[in-house]
């Protein structure tokens, strides 16, 4: 028949829907490239957390009934208690970056028939580093210093009562029951007492981030403009006897930082939590010792005695010609030990690492002589 319609040829499907092995397109997708900026992990030493305890389960409402025993009486069980939110100190945790802004405990189960109680809600444990301060309305409510130490941040609500609870001689068939109570709700501030063993202190573009990259595996952002570092980064310096010294790259300070100028007083708190300080000075600028004087003035204006902590002066960018001229002038003006190095080329990094270990050993001996345990990483 010439008028017979011609059916279009159907192309085979791209993948089979009948074969179990070929049911899905198994081609692997290429991972999206992540920039170095996105890979950067910075240190978090304070968090605002809202915690809510789990709600208690409602009481049960039922009456017992079986053959030849119609009026068996009430048998509704009580509801389960809600779960708590608990902060637990863990020595494996070093930062608050893994702490979420909101936690809630699990709700309790509802009471059932035959006097069955509801299941209690599971507790939610939040791991925090050692030395975490828990504050509420500016007051310290907990100080977690020992491994495994716990603090109940929010209590779960009590479970409701079933109608079996209200059975009495006056009321042989109670029909009412109570709902579960809501969990406790609080807003807490978590704060670390210790940021790191050593803190790199200096003005913007002094080379602190480059120095931290050179002595550890930390990857803070490095660029030729001021205030490249906006959050503190912590790098770990490893030694042959398996000791680890934590060095923090503090964002750059400027004149008037104690008056909340520049990045403000928020980052002076990071310096306050370091055990000893490493002043990083740019040797290529005229009169580099003035930088050291200004830095010490800002620290002393923020907290009296902060500039008197054990320290060493690091003269960075010694690979430049002007730095070699300013180096002997800096040593004449400064009473502290001056270590000249280049974070870019790696010159004289060994002297810094050896002196850093001396400062760490002195800190450990001092803490043990006081009967306190030093902070270990």
């Amino acid at each position: 028949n010439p008028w017979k319609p011609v059916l279009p040829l159907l192309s085979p499907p791209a993948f089979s829907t009948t074969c179990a092995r070929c049911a899905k397109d198994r081609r692997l997708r290429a991972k999206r490239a992540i920039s170095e900026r996105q890979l950067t992990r910075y240190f978090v030493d304070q968090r605002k957390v809202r915690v809510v305890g789990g709600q208690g389960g409602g009481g049960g409402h039922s009456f017992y009934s079986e053959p030849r025993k119609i009026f068996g009486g009430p048998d509704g069980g009580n509801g389960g208690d809600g779960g708590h939110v608990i902060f637990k100190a863990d020595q494996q945790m070093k930062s608050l970056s893994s702490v979420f802004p909101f936690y809630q405990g699990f709700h309790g189960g509802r009471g059932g028939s035959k006097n069955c109680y509801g299941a209690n809600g599971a507790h939610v444990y939040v791991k925090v580093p050692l030395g975490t301060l828990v504050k509420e309305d500016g007051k310290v409510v907990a100080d977690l210093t020992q491994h495994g130490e716990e603090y109940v941040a929010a209590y779960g609500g009590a479970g409701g009562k079933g109608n079996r609870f209200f059975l009495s001689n006056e009321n042989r068939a109670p029909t009412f029951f109570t709902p579960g109570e809501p969990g406790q709700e609080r807003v807490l501030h978590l704060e670390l007492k210790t940021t790191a063993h050593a803190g790199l202190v200096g003005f913007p573009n002094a080379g602190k981030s480059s120095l931290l990259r050179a002595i550890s595996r930390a990857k803070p952002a490095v660029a030729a403009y001021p205030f490249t570092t906006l959050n503190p980064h912590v790098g770990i310096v490893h030694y042959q006897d398996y000791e680890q010294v934590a060095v923090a790259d503090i964002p750059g300070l400027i004149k008037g930082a104690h008056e909340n100028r520049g990045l403000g007083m928020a980052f002076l708190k990071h310096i306050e939590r370091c055990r000893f300080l490493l002043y990083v000075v740019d040797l290529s600028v005229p009169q580099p010792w003035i930088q050291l004087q200004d830095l010490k003035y800002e620290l002393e204006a923020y907290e009296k005695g902060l500039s008197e902590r054990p320290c060493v002066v690091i003269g960075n960018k010694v690979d430049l010609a002007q730095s070699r001229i300013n180096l002997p002038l800096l040593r004449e003006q400064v009473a502290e030990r001056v270590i000249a190095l280049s974070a870019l080329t790696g010159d004289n990094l060994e002297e810094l690492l050896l002196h850093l270990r001396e400062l760490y050993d002195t800190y450990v001996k001092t803490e043990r002589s006081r009967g306190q345990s030093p902070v270990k990483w």
Side-chain angles (χ1 to χ4, degrees), residues 215 217 236-240 242-245:
I215 63 177
R217 294 182 181 179
I236 307 300
V237 181
H238 300 269
Y239 289 92
Q240 293 183 353
Y242 303 105
E243 283 287 351
Q244 298 179 357
V245 180

Side-chain angles (χ1 to χ4, degrees), residues 69-221:
K69 194 174 182 181
I70 302 175
F71 302 103
D75 66 346
N78 298 338
D81 297 333
H84 308 327
V85 179
I86 302 174
F87 292 148
K88 187 173 183 178
D90 191 342
Q91 61 185 4
Q92 299 296 329
M93 305 293 294
K94 302 301 180 184
S95 172
L96 294 174
S97 58
S98 61
V99 177
F100 295 110
F102 175 74
Y103 289 97
Q104 183 174 17
F106 291 92
H107 301 321
R110 184 176 182 85
S113 59
K114 298 182 180 179
N115 296 324
C116 291
Y117 282 34
N120 293 332
H123 302 322
V124 174
Y125 288 89
V126 183
K127 293 183 179 181
V128 296
L130 300 183
T132 300
L133 292 176
V134 183
K135 294 184 178 181
E136 185 178 19
D137 298 332
K139 298 180 180 179
V140 178
V141 295
D143 186 2
L144 306 176
T145 57
Q146 302 295 329
H147 177 70
E149 189 175 359
E150 298 179 359
Y151 172 71
V152 181
Y155 287 93
K161 303 298 183 182
N163 62 338
R164 169 72 180 181
F165 178 81
F166 300 98
L167 176 64
S168 63
N169 292 330
E170 291 77 15
N171 188 3
R172 305 302 299 173
T175 59
F176 51 90
F177 57 94
T178 59
E181 296 182 358
Q184 184 183 15
E185 182 175 354
R186 303 170 70 186
V187 177
L188 303 174
H189 293 265
L190 304 183
E191 186 177 310
L192 280 182
K193 291 191 297 184
T194 302
T195 296
H197 296 124
L200 296 173
V201 185
F203 284 102
N205 275 15
K208 302 183 296 298
S209 299
S210 300
L211 181 58
L212 187 64
R213 278 173 167 259
I215 63 177
S216 70
R217 294 182 181 179
K219 300 295 181 183

